[in-house]
Amino acid sequence: MTLLNVLTVPDPRLRIKAKPISVVDDKIRTLFDDMIETMYAEDGAGLAAPQVGIDMRLVVIDVSDSAHGSTVFKMANPEITWRSNEMSICNEGCLSVPELRAEVSRPKAIKMHYLDENGTLQHIESDDILATCIQHELDHLDGKLYIDYLSSLKRQMFINKVKRMKKYED
Ligand SMILES: [Zn+2]
């Protein structure tokens, strides 16, 4: 397996609308594994392909806890088909906006479907942390980041902090 380089804001590759994949093959399965290894190495709960510079609609999610067990989701071409009117607020973070967090309001419950690592269509209904995580990761596939839900002032402040952080690292 290979560790992938996670892009951070304001990298323009985080703003692409990623393309659907045509078939889940060995190449995609390897990519899923690399994304999962990268997610764990960076201590994240989810990772979308555009975050590692890959223009494909692929997402991995691990919200392992007592309610969800130790399921790791590998999702190709995921799509949300229903969102509740009821909202919930969650304190979100993102590997592309490292070391910062902010509260974001999103629909509390969703229904969605995706192709799993075998190319089988799977359906999920969730009204908890998994729903939040799915919405956050699927936003990445459309070039959207959680900081887009914040005020423009706060968003710019976050981007500037990440830029400064990266400068010290280089
Ligand atoms: Zn993210």
Side-chain angles (χ1 to χ4, degrees), residues 46-48 51 93-97 136-137 140 144-146:
L47 186 71
Q51 291 182 275
C94 180
L95 296 181
S96 295
V97 192
H136 175 118
E137 295 311 326
H140 277 299
K144 192 159 186 176
L145 304 170
Y146 84 89

Side-chain angles (χ1 to χ4, degrees), residues 31-41 60 72-74:
L31 204 45
F32 273 140
D33 290 340
D34 291 344
M35 286 170 66
I36 287 169
E37 198 193 7
T38 304
M39 171 177 73
Y40 289 151
V60 296
V72 184
F73 294 99
K74 304 173 186 180

Side-chain angles (χ1 to χ4, degrees), residues 22-45:
S22 50
V23 62
V24 182
D25 55 15
D26 282 343
K27 203 181 117 219
I28 299 294
R29 280 185 279 272
T30 301
L31 204 45
F32 273 140
D33 290 340
D34 291 344
M35 286 170 66
I36 287 169
E37 198 193 7
T38 304
M39 171 177 73
Y40 289 151
E42 303 270 345
D43 208 17

Side-chain angles (χ1 to χ4, degrees), residues 68-123:
H68 297 97
S70 55
T71 311
V72 184
F73 294 99
K74 304 173 186 180
M75 302 178 171
N77 299 347
E79 217 170 311
I80 294 172
T81 53
W82 176 82
R83 293 172 166 85
S84 64
N85 290 326
E86 189 188 347
M87 307 289 279
S88 74
I89 293 172
C90 194
N91 190 29
E92 296 189 23
C94 180
L95 296 181
S96 295
V97 192
E99 289 175 42
L100 299 167
R101 301 190 78 83
E103 290 194 331
V104 177
S105 176
R106 299 181 188 268
K108 180 172 169 37
I110 57 154
K111 292 180 185 173
M112 60 91 63
H113 58 71
Y114 65 95
L115 298 175
D116 69 13
E117 70 210 278
N118 301 312
T120 306
L121 188 65
Q122 302 285 351
H123 295 265

